[in-house]
């Protein structure tokens, strides 16, 4: 049995079973909340002084003591105890040990229920800011590469079959658009994270005249939570963040799949930097795209955390329940996984080397300019459905004779439609196909450069805010 005194020991006649003590403790993983717990406690102490619960000296003593404890933690000198259950009680016990009776006054008007809810929100707000920084860094890397490769022709795919020619720069900008939506979703999520539970106490508020708006201001929250029951039991913000993270990981997994395909001998579109690949223990020639493969695999890990949090909350009555201790490990791992995956991509993409010749040759396969020929006929007055059939016959002729559409003679093409003239060969080239889509959002190199410029301006504006 445990001999460590508990903050709630007055109600109990037996000490906590040693196994139960270890089973219910959370300090091994929630100690990462320590800087946020201390920040919240300093703000709480300042508010208690403001309403007359603490005097000036007590508040200063508590604040100094907490800052010294934070320094201990940062130096790795703090002794964490499972017997004290969690990060909150470890810090409070150490504070009382350092400063005496004043330390026992800090918990006035609050519970671990609103304390942990506040800590997690402070932590997640901080992590969202770090993650959005990584997204911006990744976007900038993509924009630099897209600008350099605005003229590089590659095949665009549907059903993983050659569909129409695009440029490598245009393809990279599609990834940028996904990341822009991811960034916006996280900023929107942050608004709902940035609500302060502190002051809700266990579930019903407190009889002390807390100035919750003052505490919220000190901690940088937009406002205090409006309902004490909801404040301590709400984990929507964690679920919403994990949903946003799942979308980002889904995007990263799609990026990874393309990079893995493109590095294969069958595609040969790009070469990844050696620093982000590994070799084989038996096959000397191998260069494996381990980073994209790992990121692709880690997406499932984050999706699982989202399901875990949803299931955790689905049957909980109001207000706080011990189940909620299980919210932290999935949330923490989601944060770590997402941030590390984004960092890996942001570091890797500036060093990707495209195989321009390989991309071009691949785009020459699969009759990628067939749609351009159909559009050409439509502009000559042929109904689209008729044009579609004519081009289909042209493709069949190309397949039967082993030639691309651009290699068919004018006579052969005119046998399919007398509408076709000598100018048709201008649009049957890959360059002509790509350049013809010269509209907002199109594949033309000048449109790619314009899109890069717009995106850079957008990121500059974001950086200012």
């Amino acid at each position: 049995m445990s001999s460590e005194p508990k903050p709630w020991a007055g109600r109990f006649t037996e000490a906590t079973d040693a196994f139960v003590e270890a089973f219910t403790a959370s300090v091994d993983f929630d100690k990462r909340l320590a800087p946020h717990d201390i920040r919240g406690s300093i703000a709480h102490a300042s508010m208690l002084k403001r309403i007359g619960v603490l005097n000036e000296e007590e508040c200063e003593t508590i604040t100094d003591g907490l800052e010294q404890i934070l320094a201990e933690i940062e130096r790795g000198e703090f002794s964490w105890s499972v017997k004290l259950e969690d990060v909150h009680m470890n810090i409070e016990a150490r504070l009382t040990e350092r400063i005496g009776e004043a330390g026992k006054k800090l918990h006035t008007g609050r519970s671990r229920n609103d304390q942990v809810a506040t800590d997690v929100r402070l932590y997640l707000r901080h992590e969202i800011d770090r993650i959005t920084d990584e997204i911006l860094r990744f976007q900038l890397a993509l924009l630099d590469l897209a600008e350099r490769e605005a003229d590089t022709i590659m095949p665009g795919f549907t059903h993983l079959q050659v569909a129409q020619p695009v440029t490598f720069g245009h393809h990279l900008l599609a990834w940028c658009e996904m990341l822009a939506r991811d960034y916006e979703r996280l900023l929107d999520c942050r608004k709902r994270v940035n609500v302060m539970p502190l002051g809700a106490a266990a579930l019903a508020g407190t009889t002390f005249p807390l100035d919750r708006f003052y505490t919220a201001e000190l901690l940088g929250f937009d406002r205090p939570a409006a309902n004490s029951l909801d404040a301590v039991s709400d984990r929507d913000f964690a679920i919403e963040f994990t949903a946003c993270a799942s979308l980002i990981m889904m995007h990263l997994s799609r990026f990874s799949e393309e990079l893995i395909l493109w590095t294969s001998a069958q595609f040969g579109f790009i070469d990844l930097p050696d620093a982000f690949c590994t070799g084989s223990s038996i096959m000397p020639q191998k260069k494996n795209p381990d980073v994209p493969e790992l990121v692709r695999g880690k997406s499932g890990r984050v999706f699982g955390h989202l399901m875990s949090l949803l299931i955790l909350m689905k049957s909980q009555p109001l207000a706080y329940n011990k189940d909620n201790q299980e919210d932290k490990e999935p949330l923490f791992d989601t944060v770590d996984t997402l941030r590390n995956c984004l960092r890996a991509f942001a570091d890797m993409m500036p060093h990707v080397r495209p195989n321009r010749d390989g991309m071009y040759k691949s785009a020459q396969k699969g009759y990628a300019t067939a749609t351009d020929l159909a559009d050409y006929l439509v502009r000559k007055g042929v109904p689209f459905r008729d044009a579609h059939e004519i081009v289909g016959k042209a493709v069949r002729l190309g397949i039967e004779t082993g030639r691309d559409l651009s290699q068919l003679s004018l006579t052969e093409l005119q046998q399919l439609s007398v509408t076709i003239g000598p100018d048709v060969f201008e649009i049957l080239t890959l360059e002509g196909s790509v350049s013809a889509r010269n509209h907002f959002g199109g594949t033309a190199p000048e449109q790619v450069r314009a899109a890069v410029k717009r995106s850079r301006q957008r990121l500059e504006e974001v950086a200012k805010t």
Side-chain angles (χ1 to χ4, degrees), residues 190-206:
R190 191 185 189 280
K191 296 175 186 176
R192 283 172 288 284
V193 171
N194 205 33
V195 177
M196 188 191 73
L198 201 59
L203 77 160
T206 175

Side-chain angles (χ1 to χ4, degrees), residues 8 23 29 71 75 83 106 151 210 232 240 246 250 281 294 300 328 368 372 400:
W8 35 262
F23 182 72
F29 52 84
R75 292 194 302 268
K83 296 182 184 299
L106 176 60
D151 296 288
L210 305 184
V232 297
E240 183 180 359
S246 294
M250 180 269 288
S281 62
L294 266 177
K328 294 169 196 62
D372 299 274
E400 291 170 350

Side-chain angles (χ1 to χ4, degrees), residues 105-302:
K105 295 185 177 184
L106 176 60
H107 207 56
T108 304
R110 74 175 180 182
S111 161
R112 282 186 293 176
N113 294 357
D114 63 339
Q115 188 176 356
V116 68
T118 301
D119 289 359
V120 174
R121 286 175 183 267
L122 287 170
Y123 159 82
L124 189 53
R125 185 181 69 186
H126 172 71
E127 293 299 334
I128 287 174
D129 291 344
R130 295 178 68 191
I131 289 166
T132 51
D133 285 346
E134 289 297 331
I135 291 176
L136 291 178
R137 202 162 64 86
F138 184 16
Q139 285 181 288
L140 286 171
L142 290 174
L143 290 176
D144 288 343
L145 189 55
E147 192 168 33
R148 289 198 303 271
E149 306 301 326
D151 296 288
T152 301
I153 291 175
M154 69 176 291
F157 298 92
T158 62
H159 309 280
L160 209 56
Q161 305 293 315
V162 173
Q164 292 177 282
V166 297
T167 68
F168 189 38
H170 188 68
H171 194 111
L172 294 170
L173 289 178
W175 291 3
C176 277
E177 289 300 310
M178 295 183 204
L179 290 169
R181 294 194 296 273
D182 293 330
Y183 185 92
E184 291 169 3
R185 267 188 291 269
L186 281 176
L187 290 189
D188 197 52
C189 173
R190 191 185 189 280
K191 296 175 186 176
R192 283 172 288 284
V193 171
N194 205 33
V195 177
M196 188 191 73
L198 201 59
L203 77 160
T206 175
T207 58
F208 292 94
L210 305 184
D211 189 342
R212 298 183 65 216
F213 287 92
Y214 176 69
T215 312
E217 181 182 350
L218 290 178
L219 292 173
F221 284 110
D222 292 334
R223 59 181 175 85
N227 181 280
S228 61
L229 286 167
D230 182 60
V232 297
S233 61
D234 170 39
R235 293 300 183 271
D236 291 1
F237 67 95
I239 295 172
E240 183 180 359
F241 168 78
T242 311
C244 292
S246 294
L247 273 170
I248 299 171
M249 288 302 299
M250 180 269 288
H251 288 153
L252 293 181
S253 184
R254 294 182 71 188
F255 302 167
S256 296
E257 178 69 9
E258 293 198 314
L259 292 176
I260 293 163
L261 287 172
W262 291 350
T263 58
S264 69
Q266 290 73 19
F267 277 77
F269 285 3
I270 63 169
D271 185 42
L272 293 177
D274 288 353
F276 291 83
C277 299
T278 64
S280 166
S281 62
I282 189 172
M283 295 171 284
Q285 84 280 10
K286 292 295 293 299
K287 180 179 177 181
N288 300 323
D290 279 13
V291 168
E293 287 178 349
L294 266 177
V295 170
R296 184 177 59 181
K298 287 178 182 292
S299 63
R301 179 179 185 142
V302 173

